[in-house]
Amino acid sequence: MYRFAIALLVAFHFGCGSTGAEDLVLMAAKAYTAHGPAIEPAVIVIRDGKIAELGAKIELPAGAHVVDLGDAVLVPGFVNAYSQMGISGGSSELTRELTPDFEVLAAIDWESRAFREAVDEGVTTVGISPGTDNVVAGIALAAKTHGKELRRRVLRPNAGLVMTLASDPRSRNRSRSRPDSIYVRQPTNRMGVVWMLRRAIQGARRDESASGVLAEALQGERRIYCVSRTHFDIETIARVAEEFDFAPVIVGGEESHRLAELLATRKLPVILGPLRTSVAAGTEQTDPVWNRAGVLRQAGVQIAMSGPSLLEQARFAVRFGLAADDALRAITCVPAGILGIDERVGTLQAGRDADVVVLDGDPFEFTTNVQAVIIGGAFVVPPDRRTREPGEANQTVGRHAAGSQSRPAPQRTQSGPNSP
Amino acid sequence: MIDIRRGWYDNSALAWQPMSGVALAVCLAVSLAGCPAGRAAETAGEPASRTGDRFAIQAGKVITCAGEPIVNGVILVANGKITAVGKADEVDIPPDYRILDHRDKFAMPGLIDAHSHVGGSISDINEMVYQTNPELRVWDQIIPNNERLKVAVAGGVTTVCYIPGSGTNMGGWGALMKTGPGTLDEVLIRAPGVLKIAQSGNPERRSGEVGSGRMGMNHVIREQLREGMLYTREWDEFEAGRRDAKPRTNLRLEYFKPLFRREIPVVVHTQAYQVIQSTLRILHDEMNLRVVIDHGTFDSYKLSAEIIKRDIPVMAGPRGFRLEPETGQVAGIVAEFYKRGVEKLGINTDAPVIPQEELFFQATMAVRYGWTEERAIRGLTIEPAKALMIDQRVGSLEAGKDADIVITTGSILDPRNYVALVLIDGKVAYDTAVDRRRF
């Protein structure tokens, strides 16, 4: 039935026929803004890709396209704070451990199917980081998951510097077994990882006039992310951060719940990696608990979620003890804040990008589906028919479409990931 | 067979004889009668985890490792520390202290292993790209009370020296830590705890670098230590006001400061006569370090006189025996040191080479070859504590020390006995009444 409704609304939208700067108005039963109280019913006025106005009762602008979404519930587009989404040609440098000035921007296939899948799940913004095989890996970025024009799609080419304090950087290296190999080098284990990180930081810190990415990050000019999963690695990065006076965002954090108090006291946010629920142990043999998000939040730790199926992860967290509004924040405004793009995305409020996910029920009900996704004021799921050519799908509105190249139609389900 | 419960650690002096129902009833009656009114004694089997911060342990024999054992002794514990140890009729138990009645058992200090690799991630102890690694440290990968340590606790081990492996000549800095649960800060006794040097065998290089044999390895060790010594000297000069320019901090050499200031020891993987000679000559005579000989196996004991002259402790093991080629007899390594007068003598497991919980059994087997029971108990406790320079905290049952207390069903040297209760810093880390008998 709902599919029918969507078809109607798209038809309606199409029927209006005109393009250009006219306003789009969304009407729905409810909106969770991740910013203030829920709005019920919800009216959102979208102008030039931004939210112009929202509220329960708004005087509709003359000539606006009004899309009545009926019983739908609106939430901000989801923000996946950490991923290797779309990286093509290797996410790590193989010949050295310290590559702080490497930019992930250069490695992304913006046409990657991964972005389309993310959009289908309601993820409208993503943080993309280099991989975990380097001790200091390089510079992450934040971008929209959809958009033809790269200049508009990348929100922040420099969203911070990514490090790894875990066993990953040692994975290829050996000591004496292959003396003719490039892989005979430190680190071959954690002690080496810790040392290389400390040495790099001290080197950057020692010389006060030092320029360079690491020095800037340590001076607080760039966000620092550190991938650490086991409790002792997390404790170690907290100790190293104290030694050298910086405040990293912990990424992965599979056992971070064991250090909730420490993380709260030190005000270190955590971007949780996906919780593996089908195996006994997590990555690096970590010992996961299902309410780690709730434990962290209760202690006052700022948390974001990352990985695939963000909404599913948030639902799971709610099921095991995280408050619903904290769960929504953990996939919207908190990751946006961590990535430094919260002036643009992460909440539904006037002035923010019109990135909206249309749900057919409460966000944390397991039966709720993603019905539509709007990025920058344009329906991306399902695609806006005004600009759609026969055999073409998933295009944005108007001016973006003009220079587009054809490509295979994406595999999509209109009703989202939970369709029976 | 020699009954090692005879003699110094004989428990026949106990009022309570094993497994006699009548005697048990008498004992309990006495214990109840002995309690001040309004305060019931806990039976031995009752979990001590319910005790508060202040309690008294009554034990049939208290082996303090700081003097003669006390028959019918009492240990008072407050806030994780021992506040008094003495005979039952000489120590007043304050009225608010709870009582743990173990008058049918022995109490002794927690066991200490001077050479262990199971304090944390075992896969991360050998970083072998470079021959000397004074920049590496193990305490970033400690996993408190990990699965191996849980069993170790059930074997009575409460402190370990968690050190890097012997894959290189200088593996890095080890940590001294408790085996029980807690945060890293709670379990750490000292970090850096020791420097680990390995002088023979394992660290030999076959990659084309210098160090393919003992001469080369000693050259490498000496050069690295000299760099650390000069660095420390620079800072000493500066701190004493004899040098104006502040030296530059070198993270790689920073931990050499406490080493050359003789605040922490170097634990040396060294074994066999020839290698021990180098240990004595380079690390002690030349570098003036606090040296602990770890392993000390094969014919090392033939250098006992030189070791005694330098007052160097020996923590022998894990290999406990040597076949004397001349006589065709098996000699016990520890006993041979002992017979030659080495008194600062202990044992180690090199866990997981020998499981951490079998530390006591290393001592038992040393006794089989001629070590005395008293020395063996000391070699499990106060001797490693002194060698590792942590005897102000652990190693004996004395007022002021950490309440690391092991309750056993008799002398721990007798494999028929077992550990019934382990307290670490006054907290229950293992209790057979709750955990069942794990080992």
Side-chain angles (χ1 to χ4, degrees):
Chain A
M1 187 187 117
Y2 205 88
R3 279 182 208 184
F4 180 60
I6 285 286
L8 271 182
L9 80 87
V10 171
F12 170 79
H13 204 167
F14 180 51
C16 294
S18 57
T19 58
E22 84 264 24
D23 297 343
L24 172 66
V25 176
L26 303 177
M27 299 178 74
K30 197 170 187 178
Y32 293 103
T33 65
H35 177 62
I39 299 170
E40 214 168 348
V43 182
I44 299 181
V45 180
I46 296 170
R47 187 173 301 142
D48 295 331
K50 301 270 185 188
I51 297 173
E53 223 180 329
L54 80 167
K57 279 192 173 176
I58 288 173
E59 197 176 322
L60 299 185
H65 291 285
V66 180
V67 178
D68 189 350
L69 295 160
D71 292 339
V73 175
L74 308 180
V75 291
F78 304 138
V79 182
N80 178 359
Y82 175 86
S83 76
Q84 270 85 45
M85 199 176 287
I87 294 183
S88 170
S91 62
S92 299
E93 170 59 39
L94 302 184
T95 65
R96 64 184 67 172
E97 271 59 52
L98 304 171
T99 55
D101 60 341
F102 280 29
E103 295 168 318
V104 79
L105 183 61
I108 293 168
D109 169 13
W110 295 99
E111 299 283 298
S112 166
R113 177 195 167 96
F115 290 111
R116 304 200 296 272
E117 288 174 350
V119 173
D120 285 342
E121 294 181 339
V123 175
T124 56
T125 302
V126 62
I128 307 176
S129 290
T132 57
D133 281 355
N134 299 85
V135 176
V136 179
I139 301 166
L141 63 77
K144 295 288 181 78
T145 48
H146 182 88
K148 277 290 154 197
E149 215 178 337
L150 207 56
R151 186 171 55 83
R152 291 174 179 277
R153 188 157 159 188
V154 177
L155 296 175
R156 211 174 165 198
N158 167 22
L161 181 64
V162 184
M163 315 173 158
T164 300
L165 202 161
S167 61
D168 311 30
R170 63 157 192 160
S171 57
R172 294 185 182 86
N173 295 351
R174 301 286 181 272
S175 49
R176 290 172 293 176
S177 56
R178 299 189 297 189
D180 58 340
S181 161
I182 63 162
Y183 296 116
V184 176
R185 61 175 206 256
Q186 271 189 342
T188 66
N189 68 27
R190 275 199 174 81
M191 288 201 296
V193 172
V194 174
W195 163 244
M196 295 192 84
L197 185 59
R198 290 178 69 229
R199 186 183 58 182
I201 293 170
Q202 196 216 20
R205 254 286 148 75
R206 176 141 68 190
D207 189 353
E208 282 174 10
S209 64
S211 60
V213 174
L214 186 52
E216 287 167 28
L218 292 166
Q219 283 154 21
E221 291 166 29
R222 294 169 194 264
R223 181 68 97 172
I224 294 177
Y225 305 86
C226 186
V227 177
S228 293
R229 307 183 190 92
T230 67
H231 66 92
F232 54 95
D233 281 338
I234 296 166
E235 206 167 347
T236 299
I237 188 58
R239 183 165 49 249
V240 171
E242 193 171 30
E243 181 181 3
F244 295 104
D245 190 27
F246 64 99
V249 176
I250 309 296
V251 179
E254 298 199 4
E255 292 180 339
S256 52
H257 54 277
R258 291 176 58 174
L259 298 160
E261 210 173 302
L262 171 79
L263 295 168
T265 311
R266 298 278 300 280
K267 295 191 166 52
L268 304 181
V270 179
I271 299 174
L272 289 168
L275 182 61
R276 303 210 297 177
T277 53
S278 58
V279 287
T283 313
E284 295 187 293
Q285 292 303 303
T286 47
D287 189 8
V289 300
W290 287 359
N291 187 28
R292 65 178 180 186
V295 172
L296 288 169
R297 197 65 207 103
Q298 192 141 26
V301 180
Q302 206 181 27
I303 54 161
M305 292 174 191
S306 71
S309 309
L310 270 191
L311 183 57
E312 289 297 312
Q313 288 192 53
R315 282 172 183 163
F316 193 87
V318 170
R319 180 177 173 188
F320 285 95
L322 183 67
D325 55 340
D326 282 334
L328 184 64
R329 290 167 52 85
I331 57 173
T332 55
C333 62
V334 174
I338 288 173
L339 292 168
I341 49 173
D342 49 336
E343 293 295 310
R344 290 281 305 274
V345 301
T347 53
L348 296 180
Q349 55 175 314
R352 299 292 190 271
D353 289 9
D355 297 349
V356 185
V357 177
V358 181
L359 303 170
D360 64 357
D362 185 273
F364 302 114
E365 276 298 328
F366 276 71
T367 50
T368 296
N369 293 319
V370 172
Q371 287 296 336
V373 179
I374 297 158
I375 298 180
F379 276 88
V380 179
V381 177
D384 191 316
R385 290 193 181 178
R386 282 179 297 182
T387 59
R388 192 173 153 195
E389 302 298 328
E392 192 183 27
N394 214 16
Q395 300 288 334
T396 45
V397 193
R399 56 186 180 272
H400 299 288
S404 70
Q405 297 169 349
S406 64
R407 62 176 187 207
Q411 298 291 312
R412 282 192 298 102
T413 54
Q414 281 206 339
S415 52
N418 297 317
S419 64
Chain B
M1 178 189 155
I2 297 167
D3 183 352
I4 60 172
R5 288 181 300 181
R6 293 253 159 73
W8 212 63
Y9 290 96
D10 185 3
N11 56 5
S12 63
L14 296 180
W16 183 81
Q17 288 296 312
M19 301 308 119
S20 155
V22 176
L24 181 62
V26 169
C27 178
L28 285 176
V30 169
S31 94
L32 288 171
C35 289
R39 183 160 53 114
E42 293 186 24
T43 62
E46 192 164 344
S49 48
R50 280 186 267 125
T51 26
D53 279 336
R54 294 137 73 86
F55 55 92
I57 299 170
Q58 299 171 322
K61 189 177 276 186
V62 178
I63 301 168
T64 63
C65 294
E68 290 295 308
I70 300 163
V71 175
N72 289 328
V74 167
I75 308 163
L76 298 187
V77 175
N79 303 318
K81 296 281 184 185
I82 297 169
T83 56
V85 182
K87 289 185 173 155
D89 51 7
E90 290 171 6
V91 175
D92 286 331
I93 300 174
D96 58 330
Y97 276 50
R98 302 198 65 189
I99 291 177
L100 303 180
D101 183 356
H102 291 290
R103 283 181 290 180
D104 56 342
K105 298 192 182 70
F106 283 23
M108 69 175 294
L111 275 48
I112 300 170
D113 195 338
H115 192 126
S116 171
H117 301 297
V118 299
S121 175
I122 291 183
S123 59
D124 291 305
I125 58 169
N126 272 314
E127 170 74 85
M128 303 191 290
V129 175
Y130 303 112
Q131 269 164 299
T132 58
N133 301 281
E135 69 276 14
L136 303 180
R137 56 190 204 190
V138 296
W139 52 93
D140 297 315
Q141 62 209 31
I142 284 177
I143 306 173
N145 200 228
N146 61 56
E147 294 307 312
R148 282 186 170 89
L149 292 181
K150 276 179 190 148
V151 191
V153 171
V157 181
T158 57
T159 296
V160 295
C161 180
Y162 172 44
I163 50 179
S166 54
T168 65
N169 290 123
M170 192 177 287
W173 303 87
L176 292 153
M177 60 179 286
K178 300 285 180 79
T179 52
T183 64
L184 181 61
D185 286 342
E186 285 163 354
V187 302
L188 263 186
I189 298 176
R190 190 175 71 220
V194 300
L195 173 65
K196 171 73 183 291
I197 282 180
Q199 272 193 303
S200 70
N202 299 352
E204 282 171 20
R205 307 293 280 191
R206 293 186 180 83
S207 57
E209 297 166 274
V210 66
S212 63
R214 289 178 189 174
M215 290 189 292
M217 289 191 294
N218 282 332
H219 163 79
V220 167
I221 290 169
R222 184 189 266 121
E223 289 302 301
Q224 181 61 74
L225 285 173
R226 194 166 284 154
E227 189 188 7
M229 184 167 66
L230 293 174
Y231 178 74
T232 307
R233 193 177 291 162
E234 272 185 24
W235 278 92
D236 286 345
E237 295 280 304
F238 171 71
E239 282 165 20
R242 293 192 295 271
R243 175 196 154 118
D244 290 334
K246 188 177 180 182
R248 209 170 192 201
T249 298
N250 185 337
L251 279 188
R252 185 164 185 271
L253 303 176
E254 195 60 17
Y255 299 134
F256 279 117
K257 288 180 185 170
L259 181 79
F260 281 102
R261 288 168 184 166
R262 294 172 62 81
E263 294 159 7
I264 64 173
V266 53
V267 162
V268 193
H269 163 109
T270 178
Q271 47 194 349
Y273 191 90
Q274 179 199 7
V275 185
I276 299 272
Q277 273 186 321
S278 308
T279 306
L280 301 180
R281 192 165 46 80
I282 298 173
L283 303 182
H284 181 275
D285 301 355
E286 193 178 322
M287 296 292 172
N288 191 32
L289 299 176
R290 300 274 305 230
V291 175
V292 179
I293 293 175
D294 266 23
H295 304 319
T297 43
F298 306 112
D299 54 353
S300 309
Y301 52 78
K302 291 180 177 171
L303 275 166
S304 290
E306 293 298 315
I307 292 168
I308 294 165
K309 200 189 292 176
R310 290 169 177 79
D311 201 25
I312 290 174
V314 178
M315 298 293 130
R319 193 194 305 265
F321 316 102
R322 174 174 184 259
L323 179 67
E324 300 275 9
E326 307 86 37
T327 59
Q329 286 184 324
V330 172
I333 299 289
V334 178
E336 296 303 321
F337 276 114
Y338 170 65
K339 286 172 193 165
R340 287 164 177 78
V342 176
E343 293 187 349
K344 297 190 168 178
L345 192 55
I347 45 165
N348 72 63
T349 62
D350 201 357
V353 174
I354 285 176
Q356 189 64 77
E357 59 274 18
E358 288 181 22
L359 179 62
F360 84 94
F361 195 63
Q362 290 282 91
T364 300
M365 292 304 282
V367 169
R368 173 183 169 129
Y369 281 86
W371 210 14
T372 71
E373 293 166 48
E374 178 196 357
R375 295 280 175 184
I377 297 281
R378 290 179 60 88
L380 288 165
T381 54
I382 190 66
E383 292 302 341
K386 285 179 172 169
L388 299 167
M389 304 172 71
I390 47 173
D391 54 311
Q392 77 286 2
R393 289 270 311 267
V394 297
S396 62
L397 300 181
E398 290 178 89
K401 289 206 180 182
D402 295 2
D404 297 354
I405 302 167
V406 174
I407 305 293
T408 54
T409 53
S411 170
I412 197 164
L413 296 171
D414 184 342
R416 291 170 297 183
N417 293 324
Y418 63 90
V419 172
L421 175 71
V422 177
L423 302 169
I424 299 179
D425 295 315
K427 295 194 189 83
V428 175
Y430 172 65
D431 184 352
T432 44
V434 176
D435 305 315
R436 293 185 288 171
R437 189 174 149 189
R438 218 178 252 153
F439 173 64

